[in-house]
Amino acid sequence: MRFRSPAYTVFSILNYTFIGILSICCVLPLIHIFAVSLSSKAAATANIVNFWPVGFTLDAYMQTLGNDKFLQALMIGIERTVLGTAISMTIVVMAAYSLSKSNDRFKGRNMYSWFFIFMMLFNGGLIPTYLVVSNTGLYDTIWALVIPNAVNVWNIILMLNFFRNLPAELEEAALIDGAGHLRTVFSIYIWVSMPAIATLSLFTMVIHWNSWFDGIIYLTSSDKYPLSSFLQTIVVQDNFAQTGVDPEKLEQISNRTVKASQIFIGALPILIVYPFLQKYFVKGIVIGSVKG
Amino acid sequence: MNKLDTGAASTSSVPSGKKASRAASYWKRTGMLHVLLLPAVIIALIYGYTPMLGIVIAFQEYEPWLGIRNSPWVGLEHFEYLFNYPDSLQVIKNTLIISGMKIVFQLIVPVLFALLLTEIAKSWFKRAAQTLVYLPHFLSWVILGGIFVDILSIRGGLLNRFLAVLGIDPIFFLANGDWFRIVLVVSDVWKEFGFSTIIFLAAIVSIDPSLYEAAEIDGANRWKQVLHISLPSILPIIIVVGTLSLGRVLDAGFDQVFNLYNPLVYEKGDIIDTFVYRIGLLDAQFSFATAVGLFKSIVGFILIVISYRLAYKLANYRIF
């Protein structure tokens, strides 16, 4: 310890306590909802569940996982996440490769850069975007959720910075061996960039899993909703009629515990990938904040 | 380098004449680079730039069955309406109040938290705290909206039960406009303060340790060191983060408001984005909603440009 004054010791104790409490507060809501989801209907309706299940039961999860509509939304959510990430990352890697070339080797690079950066700063807004998506045949298909947002300019910037830091010999060797740009990027660059690609993919997956608004405006019925949009209609709009829970069974298990279980299942994929995310995002933010 | 580049080949026809041959060799070297950019450019043109042209409907009385070409032009009528319509003025006011409060607290709390966290000597404790406070950033407002609606419920919600223990009457957080604003600010800070801390922590870590050593020799206690070394050292970053967030002052958080609000709090909780959604997509007043959206985009764009200028002037920060 560098500081030994009594005042600092007092401060230290208070500081540990304060930070400890504050940190726990950041997950308490999640713990609460998890506890509710594992509690009996009686306990949940009596409002006695805090952070530990009362009258432990898996009924709510049984109900949720036995609900075809929920399972369908879950599958569409996964489909959307996988498809969206694959499309977006392919486009990002290809664009980043070209933009990672220096200005004198790739004339026109500057023009492309501004083309993308301007898109970051200005957009047409909700209604015109909605009209364009509707008029290009994507309306009411899963493509409306994965194509319009595929060009992630921020990911392109991070990826091209990564490519720039690869040794120049790598590309020179490939070119001497007669590989074109296409082969260089797909059979060499993507393999040596796997850590960066994995990281950006993880973040893209989180964005897709969490997106709910596009599903609600571009898809016409809740049968086609990915999980986030589906949860939005039940949880926020409280629209239980659409969710396929049998009203009689609902009596037995209380809509509160079922809701809680659905919310928790929606959050689960994020909780699972969180340790991997945490490993990278600190680095990513710091890289991103340094002038590229 | 350039000689090597000619090896990078995509086939092209044999050119005639010097100029043509230079063009051909340029194409040979860089053609594939353009091709690789093509998917991104096409999608950006269709879904990024075409909607920018679509904002012309803000100056029309757009009807979907007439299309942009046949819809009648009305000039600035929608904008006049925007500035005379009491609802939209209230919405702009709400947006500024809510996002102004968010900006202030989203700056103060992370800076304080970063300074306090630096004083934690046990690294396992520090790491554990960081793991917990970064987490909410990654959860969507659909999930958190569902959780908060449950916790803030007047009928036995967790928070009201806690207040009851303290002898405070239940508060209808999500039905009272003033409380709703407070809920928005507090829950937003709760979700993001940890993540915003990262950049300040990085700035504190990069402070030259010899400054602290020198201060200690001069007899400065820890409080004095924080006041005269840590704070001034991270001040440029604080200024940058603060000015850049000013550029987003019209984004009061659509996802959050949309997932927490209800008609009872429209008066004080409705923001530009939720307003545009309701009048545009639910009431199908495409043109008026686009005009509101355009107003927001233009003001937002100007603010971003100004804030980048300011950040550069005040803290010598450049993003490009």
Side-chain angles (χ1 to χ4, degrees):
Chain A
M1 283 296 291
R2 283 178 296 170
F3 310 101
R4 293 193 174 274
S5 73
Y8 190 79
T9 315
V10 173
F11 161 78
S12 224
I13 294 168
L14 290 176
N15 193 25
Y16 272 88
T17 318
F18 175 72
I19 287 190
I21 292 173
L22 197 62
S23 309
I24 289 169
C25 280
C26 284
V27 286
L28 272 187
L30 211 59
I31 294 172
H32 172 66
I33 215 76
F34 188 48
V36 169
S37 74
L38 290 172
S39 297
S40 67
K41 180 202 173 186
T45 27
N47 294 318
I48 52 171
V49 185
N50 294 328
F51 304 110
W52 196 258
V54 178
F56 180 87
T57 168
L58 288 173
D59 282 355
Y61 285 92
M62 292 301 193
Q63 181 72 13
T64 299
L65 294 174
N67 174 354
D68 289 340
K69 283 202 166 186
F70 183 85
L71 289 182
Q72 196 185 351
L74 185 66
M75 291 314 290
I76 298 174
I78 294 170
E79 186 189 350
R80 180 238 163 109
T81 304
V82 171
L83 195 65
T85 307
I87 292 175
S88 178
M89 285 310 294
T90 310
I91 288 172
V92 163
V93 166
M94 293 188 337
Y97 174 81
S98 293
L99 293 176
S100 70
K101 303 293 162 225
S102 62
N103 275 332
D104 41 306
R105 283 193 52 205
F106 178 31
K107 294 207 175 60
R109 179 190 170 274
N110 248 341
M111 200 187 67
Y112 282 116
S113 301
W114 283 109
F115 174 82
F116 290 119
I117 286 168
F118 185 70
M119 210 175 77
M120 247 178 148
L121 300 177
F122 199 77
N123 65 68
L126 176 66
I127 307 297
T129 309
Y130 171 83
L131 294 174
V132 170
V133 171
S134 306
N135 286 320
T136 46
L138 303 187
Y139 191 71
D140 209 19
T141 68
I142 194 165
W143 301 109
L145 313 185
V146 295
I147 302 276
N149 52 15
V151 182
N152 185 330
V153 181
W154 190 242
N155 278 354
I156 294 180
I157 294 174
L158 291 177
M159 199 72 225
L160 83 85
N161 277 330
F162 187 87
F163 283 155
R164 281 206 178 144
N165 291 328
L166 292 175
E169 293 83 5
L170 202 66
E171 194 198 349
E172 286 165 16
L175 295 175
I176 288 175
D177 289 347
H181 289 300
L182 195 61
R183 281 196 44 198
T184 311
V185 64
F186 281 110
S187 41
I188 299 170
Y189 266 52
I190 62 166
W191 301 111
V192 295
S193 314
M194 266 309 160
I197 292 179
T199 311
L200 294 185
S201 298
L202 220 48
F203 281 93
T204 313
M205 283 161 87
V206 171
I207 294 173
H208 271 288
W209 182 259
N210 282 342
S211 294
W212 52 275
F213 186 60
D214 46 6
I216 285 170
I217 61 175
Y218 295 133
L219 302 174
T220 49
S221 85
S222 65
D223 295 343
K224 296 174 180 166
Y225 281 179
L227 191 61
S228 291
S229 310
F230 181 82
L231 286 178
Q232 211 276 334
T233 55
I234 335 168
V235 169
V236 182
Q237 300 172 15
D238 214 1
N239 201 341
F240 248 85
Q242 287 201 328
T243 58
V245 176
D246 184 353
E248 270 178 37
K249 283 185 182 160
L250 202 61
E251 289 281 296
Q252 295 155 18
I253 41 165
S254 117
N255 103 29
R256 198 156 158 231
T257 57
V258 174
K259 254 191 192 179
S261 71
Q262 296 186 328
I263 291 173
F264 192 77
I265 293 174
L268 198 57
I270 304 293
L271 300 179
I272 292 171
V273 299
Y274 180 61
F276 302 99
L277 284 175
Q278 209 202 348
K279 220 169 114 190
Y280 294 114
F281 65 65
V282 176
K283 229 192 296 176
I285 273 206
V286 176
I287 292 170
S289 63
V290 175
K291 188 183 157 190
Chain B
M1 280 289 268
N2 274 333
K3 270 182 193 159
L4 290 170
D5 282 348
T6 47
S10 61
T11 49
S12 76
S13 59
V14 181
S16 59
K18 211 172 181 183
K19 213 172 183 183
S21 103
R22 205 181 297 152
S25 101
Y26 170 73
W27 174 249
K28 225 172 161 184
R29 270 183 289 118
T30 62
M32 195 41 89
L33 295 176
H34 293 282
V35 174
L36 286 169
L37 278 164
L38 202 59
V41 169
I42 290 173
I43 290 176
L45 274 179
I46 297 176
Y47 298 106
Y49 282 86
T50 317
M52 291 183 206
L53 301 177
I55 56 183
V56 297
I57 66 173
F59 306 96
Q60 292 183 324
E61 196 55 66
Y62 178 78
E63 299 291 357
W65 59 86
L66 292 174
I68 289 178
R69 237 171 276 167
N70 299 319
S71 294
W73 292 89
V74 296
L76 294 174
E77 200 177 277
H78 295 299
F79 292 92
E80 274 166 37
Y81 189 53
L82 167 66
F83 291 110
N84 293 316
Y85 184 49
D87 274 14
S88 51
L89 291 180
Q90 181 64 37
V91 161
I92 293 170
K93 195 177 139 200
N94 290 344
T95 307
L96 291 174
I97 292 174
I98 292 167
S99 84
M101 290 197 293
K102 282 183 181 175
I103 287 173
V104 172
F105 288 103
Q106 211 56 272
L107 200 60
I108 297 175
V109 176
V111 169
L112 287 179
F113 190 72
L115 289 172
L116 289 178
L117 203 61
T118 327
E119 300 304 314
I120 298 284
K122 298 236 184 315
S123 71
W124 67 266
F125 190 90
K126 205 186 223 170
R127 267 203 312 271
Q130 283 172 301
T131 303
L132 296 180
V133 298
Y134 296 160
L135 178 65
H137 170 79
F138 294 97
L139 296 169
S140 78
W141 274 113
V142 171
I143 303 285
L144 296 177
I147 296 177
F148 279 118
V149 167
D150 184 276
I151 287 178
L152 299 174
S153 157
I154 188 142
R155 289 190 306 273
L158 193 62
L159 191 56
N160 273 320
R161 269 188 281 147
F162 178 70
L163 292 178
V165 173
L166 300 178
I168 299 171
D169 284 338
I171 298 168
F172 210 159
F173 290 104
L174 297 176
N176 173 312
D178 295 316
W179 274 110
F180 183 72
R181 284 181 182 168
I182 295 172
V183 167
L184 289 181
V185 175
V186 172
S187 63
D188 186 66
V189 171
W190 170 83
K191 184 179 192 284
E192 302 293 342
F193 86 91
F195 203 72
S196 318
T197 302
I198 295 174
I199 193 154
F200 299 116
L201 278 178
I204 293 174
V205 167
S206 64
I207 297 172
D208 183 357
S210 64
L211 290 176
Y212 293 107
E213 286 157 21
E216 214 164 344
I217 291 167
D218 289 346
N221 63 21
R222 191 58 186 163
W223 169 244
K224 287 261 162 71
Q225 292 179 22
V226 168
L227 210 60
H228 298 293
I229 299 173
S230 306
L231 265 181
S233 305
I234 62 171
L235 193 63
I237 295 282
I238 299 177
I239 291 173
V240 166
V241 172
T243 44
L244 295 190
S245 61
L246 280 182
R248 295 190 306 270
V249 72
L250 293 185
D251 290 311
F254 175 81
D255 283 25
Q256 181 197 23
V257 175
F258 192 80
N259 283 306
L260 289 173
Y261 82 160
N262 58 69
L264 293 174
V265 291
Y266 278 176
E267 192 199 333
K268 291 195 170 167
D270 201 14
I271 57 169
I272 296 177
D273 292 321
T274 47
F275 182 67
V276 167
Y277 168 75
R278 283 205 321 279
I279 55 170
L281 291 184
L282 298 186
D283 303 344
Q285 299 184 43
F286 291 119
S287 285
F288 181 54
T290 306
V292 180
L294 178 62
F295 163 74
K296 189 200 150 201
S297 287
I298 290 174
V299 175
F301 184 76
I302 294 170
L303 286 174
I304 286 179
V305 172
I306 292 176
S307 63
Y308 275 76
R309 282 266 167 89
L310 269 179
Y312 179 56
K313 262 218 166 125
L314 297 175
N316 210 14
Y317 170 87
R318 300 192 76 161
I319 195 163
F320 306 124

